[in-house]
Structures are given as structure tokens and as C-alpha cells.
Amino acid sequence: MRNLRRLVCMWTVMCVLLSGFAMVAVAAGPYHGNVQSRIYHNSSCRYYFCKRCTAVFATVQAAQAAGYRACKVCGG
């Protein structure tokens, strides 16, 4: 009984963690902008999850309107 309780608890924790990660991914948006360099990256870019990529844009036009330019690696 004790092992079953432990297994259910671990399963519940994993479900909560995974659902939290899914919410972050949904809320992230397709373009991340680096607030220091003012460069935006698309989701396939290796710099997409950089430390300073805290600006999120739904479209390229929104990123450019905010004064960001496309990444030279991924093309934005």
C-alpha cells in the first residue's frame, strides 16, 4: 500500500510539472526577442531560449514595429 501511494504521488507530480511546461510553451509565442541586442529569433533558432530573450512577439511585424531586427543565424 505504501509503494502504491508513493507511485501515485510521483505520477501526480509528473503530471503537474508536464502541464506547467506545456502552458509555458503555449504562452511563449513564435518569436522571442533579446531585450539587450534587440534581435528576434524564430522557434527553430539555437538562440530562441537565450537568457535575455524575454520579449515575445506573435508576428515578425510586431517584432519589427517594436524596433527589433531579424537574427542573422535563423533569419527571424
Side-chain angles (χ1 to χ4, degrees), residues 3-68:
N3 286 337
L4 180 61
R5 192 177 308 150
R6 184 177 295 160
L7 181 63
V8 169
C9 182
M10 287 174 44
W11 182 79
T12 305
V13 169
M14 290 299 292
C15 287
V16 169
L17 287 175
L18 289 175
S19 67
F21 288 132
M23 291 300 291
V24 169
V26 167
Y31 300 97
H32 284 180
N34 183 317
V35 294
Q36 186 173 8
S37 67
R38 312 280 295 172
I39 297 172
Y40 65 90
H41 311 278
N42 66 35
S43 60
S44 66
C45 187
R46 64 181 170 190
Y47 299 115
Y48 186 73
F49 291 109
C50 71
K51 277 192 223 180
R52 293 188 179 14
C53 289
T54 57
V56 178
F57 305 102
T59 64
V60 170
Q61 293 80 9
Q64 291 173 346
Y68 286 74

